[in-house]
Amino acid sequence: MWGILRQRAVVDGGLSLRRTRSALVSARSYAAGSKEMTVRDALNSAIDEEMSADPKVFVMGEEVGQYQGAYKITKGLLEKYGPERVYDTPITEAGFTGIGVGAAYAGLKPVVEFMTFNFSMQAIDHIINSAAKSNYMSAGQINVPIVFRGPNGAAAGVGAQHSQCYAAWYASVPGLKVLAPYSAEDARGLLKAAIRDPDPVVFLENELLYGESFPISEEALDSSFCLPIGKAKIEREGKDVTIVTFSKMVGFALKAAEKLAEEGISAEVINLRSIRPLDRATINASVRKTSRLVTVEEGFPQHGVCAEICASVVEESFSYLDAPVERIAGADVPMPYAANLERLALPQVEDIVRAAKRACYRSK
Amino acid sequence: MATSFSATLPLHGSQESRLSLTPIRLAPPSSFLGSTRSLSIPSSRSRLYHAHAARRSPVVGVQEVVKDKKITNSLLITKEEGLELYEDMILGRSFEDMCAQMYYRGKMFGFVHLYNGQEAVSTGFIKLLTQSDSVVSTYRDHVHALSKGVSARAVMSELFGKVTGCCRGQGGSMHMFSKEHNMLGGFAFIGEGIPVATGAAFTSKYKREVLKQDCDDVTVAFFGDGTCNNGQFYECLNMAALYKLPIIFVVENNLWAIGMSHLRSTSDPEIWKKGPAFGMPGVHVDGMDVLKVREVAKEAVTRARRGEGPTLVECETYRFRGHSLADPDELRDAAEKAKYAARDPITALKKYLMENKLANEGELKTIEKKIDELVEEAVEFADASPQPGRSQLLENVFADPKGFGIGPDGRYRCEDPKFTEGTAQV
């Protein structure tokens, strides 16, 4: 699996087939090839740069300091910035999240790490009631420039209590911004934007993506680089079917698009990047072009992100649709442990291919 | 029961039965979370502390006050301070009584929790704070906001849901926020305000240690007896003591959490004892006596400003009305209510002021009349104010006007004329 992913990472990196060929050509003519960066390094460099640019930014969470980060995302930060800016907290999510929110009320910019977003459930009162709603309740007097980040969704064999995807839960709350990066560039750009942002941001990473390498441009390596929030990215252009997804599923969708291309179906893959605000404009523009929609997510199907996207498309672009909207989500069960069952519980490339074919053959 | 007064010394010290108020001394250098940098106090602040010491009346142990009140000549407050305290408590009481009237006339709606009877705690603590110190409270927050300096007009309008309220009508009774006065809410979930207050205290320390600003702001967190059984309370006691944060945890123990008696729900009802378990002093004080509360508050606030860390203060107090205006208040014993009504903090202060010739009947009546007019005027103002406009519904969800975030140049992206609708291709 890792071999295939790395191969794919070199091929796509956000370019369509035509542009890949030209990139390979241009790569031959330049002395140096494009740089690659893992998502882990991208996140680390983003936090590092934002901390050095603004002394009000600090990191708190379990194992972020001496342990160098439970997933090594905050590696080296304690040595560089000292214990006054990188806090190893006790195991007290409600407490330290609340402290982060209170510090944000008073003008600092905390980056609160949850070891996984499953643990954020112990602190969800603070994320929603004291962070998300405060700017509204105080009529603009108190804004909360805080970032809640950590791995979200399924990993490999970690069981039901460590595998839930929280995108839908947080994205339903007004007052929060919810971001879900895919590539290293997404990770860097969105995290930098999140840390600079004056509002509470829930930053959903993915544990399995941390070790993946992606090509990264010189522009993205600049310390002032950041991406806009609320804007999706078209990872691959196409004309027959639109596949909308986020986080790890973008990789699967791109692989599915390759397989579909072999069968003559040109799929457009949209990487949402931002779940709230949702980029309805991009999604609808794409569906109006292709007339077919397939949405993919890893989380539970009922009331999920895909449900919202389907509703948005049906409401705004109904007359452009040539086939019913297709929705692929994780199985409606808590995540099983056995490896084969886990594979069945999550969307795979074949599921996306099958759904896209269904969308394409339905009306013709 | 909880009427006995007892206190403990901080940290690893011996268990003594009285709170000893030592004269102000500079704190020894301490390490911040294991770093080798020591907590150095700049000379300007040490001047401030000496000034404080000079201004204060001789420091006495609070227990001594209880016994020696009639014997000693030195009074705890000056006339100005006494009148200020009286005015603040009368404001709290009149305002809350007016709220009850307005609620039954239909001008106020939803959940309204009144503070009658507990004024000594709010006045005793908040009147010692500066504007830049922070206060965090619960849903019973009208009087905390008033004591902190939010105008009666702004609070009343907020309760009526008018656009001139302190939160433009968007918060309501349980969510009083004022950035200007550092009133950081107003939280409906019990226990929710405690970590937020701890965070504000954390910021104060961070500003001093990391940003090298001259900051000795303290934070006072008010909450009830029911909250002391909540996990977040203990999490914050731990972290406040661990990081030595400038915070005072004030428990307004009015013995009842809606209809649940404190004694029925708590394994060890003496809440002040929970402080030393986490390494901070735990103090119990008679919350119906504003002068005793003020003495304890002075020491706790000074301790926090010196950088010595948090204090847990349990104030034994009582609410004369039900939990909220919707509470029929049937479970509380009439004898208990009568007992505490006899200890009304306002009557007690009035008696003290008159007995010690700090004020006469006329001056106190003038204050009461002034406050009555103030509260009436606040009601008229709130009545006359308009309701929020329709466009206000969608405002202030984000600080960021359109939600697109901040660009590389540091300005909001939506302000950039080149940022058009469309996909972001990098």
Side-chain angles (χ1 to χ4, degrees), chain A residues 177 228-229 231, chain B residues 399-407 409 411-421:
Chain A
K177 292 177 178 165
I229 294 180
K231 289 291 181 194
Chain B
D400 174 1
K402 298 269 190 242
F404 290 125
I406 291 186
D409 56 2
R411 296 181 326 156
Y412 287 121
R413 281 202 193 255
C414 53
E415 290 171 7
D416 180 359
K418 294 204 298 264
F419 185 72
T420 54
E421 285 287 339

Side-chain angles (χ1 to χ4, degrees), chain A residues 39-120:
Chain A
V39 171
R40 177 177 287 121
D41 289 338
L43 294 167
N44 184 281
S45 64
I47 303 175
D48 194 348
E49 284 165 20
E50 292 304 307
M51 282 181 82
S52 78
D54 187 349
K56 298 204 290 282
V57 177
F58 68 95
V59 175
M60 72 194 307
E62 292 155 13
E63 310 293 10
V64 295
Q66 289 189 1
Y67 197 80
Q68 308 295 317
Y71 296 99
K72 307 294 180 245
I73 306 296
T74 49
K75 184 170 174 163
L77 295 180
L78 176 68
E79 286 71 36
K80 193 166 173 188
Y81 297 103
E84 307 96 54
R85 295 186 68 194
V86 180
Y87 290 94
D88 279 324
T89 61
I91 306 175
T92 158
E93 272 76 11
F96 72 70
T97 306
I99 287 184
V101 172
Y105 274 29
L108 297 183
K109 293 183 149 216
V111 177
V112 176
E113 172 171 314
F114 291 115
M115 206 180 275
T116 75
F117 261 93
N118 301 278
F119 308 147
S120 75

Side-chain angles (χ1 to χ4, degrees), chain A residues 296-315:
Chain A
V296 189
E297 69 166 326
E298 210 181 56
F300 298 139
Q302 189 165 339
H303 310 299
V305 178
C306 293
E308 176 63 28
I309 296 172
C310 290
S312 170
V313 165
V314 162
E315 282 167 6

Side-chain angles (χ1 to χ4, degrees), chain A residues 19 54-58 60 81 83-109 122 125-126 128-132 134-143 174-177 185 193 196-200 217 219-220 224-234 237 273 276-277 279 281-282, chain B residues 32-37 134 158 166-172 175 177-180 183-187 189-204 206-207 209-212 232 235-236 238-240 242-243 245 392-410 412-413 419-426:
Chain A
R19 288 162 74 185
D54 187 349
K56 298 204 290 282
V57 177
F58 68 95
M60 72 194 307
Y81 297 103
E84 307 96 54
R85 295 186 68 194
V86 180
Y87 290 94
D88 279 324
T89 61
I91 306 175
T92 158
E93 272 76 11
F96 72 70
T97 306
I99 287 184
V101 172
Y105 274 29
L108 297 183
K109 293 183 149 216
Q122 297 205 331
D125 171 37
H126 282 291
I128 295 181
N129 278 324
S130 41
S134 292
N135 200 52
Y136 191 82
M137 285 199 293
S138 69
Q141 290 177 81
I142 296 182
N143 69 310
L176 279 184
K177 292 177 178 165
E185 190 173 289
R196 293 178 200 180
D197 202 87
D199 293 309
S217 63
E219 191 194 342
S224 68
F225 171 70
C226 64
L227 289 172
I229 294 180
K231 289 291 181 194
K233 180 180 180 187
I234 298 183
E237 280 178 20
R273 281 181 169 174
R276 183 182 258 271
D279 193 354
T282 303
Chain B
F32 186 99
L33 291 184
S35 77
T36 49
R37 232 178 284 172
S134 302
E158 183 62 31
C166 57
C167 298
R168 295 166 73 200
Q170 290 184 216
H175 305 294
F177 288 88
S178 168
K179 192 170 176 79
E180 184 196 340
M183 175 72 189
L184 299 180
F187 289 97
F189 278 50
I190 62 153
E192 194 179 352
I194 304 177
V196 173
T198 314
F202 178 95
T203 304
S204 173
Y206 189 93
K207 280 185 183 167
E209 310 263 317
V210 181
L211 301 179
K212 309 286 184 227
Q232 291 183 80
E235 293 184 20
C236 289
N238 179 39
M239 282 194 280
L242 181 67
Y243 301 146
L245 299 179
Q392 201 181 301
L393 178 67
L394 300 176
E395 281 173 12
N396 292 130
V397 177
F398 286 141
D400 174 1
K402 298 269 190 242
F404 290 125
I406 291 186
D409 56 2
Y412 287 121
R413 281 202 193 255
F419 185 72
T420 54
E421 285 287 339
T423 59
Q425 304 271 15
V426 177

Side-chain angles (χ1 to χ4, degrees), chain B residues 110-350:
Chain B
F111 286 130
V112 179
H113 307 83
L114 298 181
Y115 201 74
N116 296 49
Q118 300 181 193
E119 296 86 1
V121 181
S122 172
T123 302
F125 272 93
I126 301 182
K127 282 302 164 197
L128 291 173
L129 301 179
T130 64
Q131 178 134 341
S132 58
D133 292 324
S134 302
V135 165
V136 178
S137 176
T138 59
Y139 44 75
R140 208 179 294 282
D141 57 350
H142 308 167
V143 179
H144 294 136
L146 292 170
S147 289
K148 194 65 175 60
V150 184
S151 70
R153 283 179 156 197
V155 180
M156 192 63 84
S157 299
E158 183 62 31
L159 293 169
F160 281 33
K162 300 295 176 81
V163 76
T164 45
C166 57
C167 298
R168 295 166 73 200
Q170 290 184 216
S173 164
M174 300 186 283
H175 305 294
M176 294 287 166
F177 288 88
S178 168
K179 192 170 176 79
E180 184 196 340
H181 300 281
N182 283 301
M183 175 72 189
L184 299 180
F187 289 97
F189 278 50
I190 62 153
E192 194 179 352
I194 304 177
V196 173
T198 314
F202 178 95
T203 304
S204 173
K205 182 159 189 164
Y206 189 93
K207 280 185 183 167
R208 198 169 57 221
E209 310 263 317
V210 181
L211 301 179
K212 309 286 184 227
Q213 291 170 6
D214 202 9
C215 180
D216 65 351
D217 295 335
V218 303
T219 308
V220 183
F222 292 97
F223 48 94
D225 43 286
T227 309
C228 297
N229 295 326
N230 191 274
Q232 291 183 80
F233 170 59
Y234 298 107
E235 293 184 20
C236 289
L237 285 182
N238 179 39
M239 282 194 280
L242 181 67
Y243 301 146
K244 280 198 157 172
L245 299 179
I247 182 171
I248 302 120
F249 296 102
V250 180
V251 185
E252 295 169 324
N253 184 354
N254 56 22
L255 303 174
W256 292 90
I258 307 188
M260 188 61 164
S261 150
H262 179 57
L263 302 173
R264 269 181 77 203
S265 64
T266 315
S267 56
D268 184 353
E270 292 181 290
I271 301 171
W272 60 268
K273 277 192 199 164
K274 306 190 186 192
F278 287 92
M280 69 177 82
V283 184
H284 178 279
V285 68
D286 176 6
M288 301 307 267
D289 184 331
V290 66
L291 298 174
K292 290 184 195 157
V293 172
R294 194 178 150 88
E295 285 305 303
V296 169
K298 272 190 203 167
E299 170 65 8
V301 169
T302 326
R303 216 182 99 82
R305 284 205 212 280
R306 281 199 300 255
E308 288 175 16
T311 314
L312 174 66
V313 181
E314 178 186 357
C315 302
E316 182 207 338
T317 181
Y318 202 75
R319 51 171 165 83
F320 294 158
R321 291 184 182 261
H323 164 73
S324 72
L325 288 172
D327 175 18
D329 197 15
E330 290 160 345
L331 291 175
R332 299 196 299 175
D333 199 21
E336 182 188 78
K337 291 189 209 178
K339 183 178 92 165
Y340 281 99
R343 291 166 58 186
D344 187 330
I346 294 179
T347 328
L349 181 65
K350 186 168 181 174

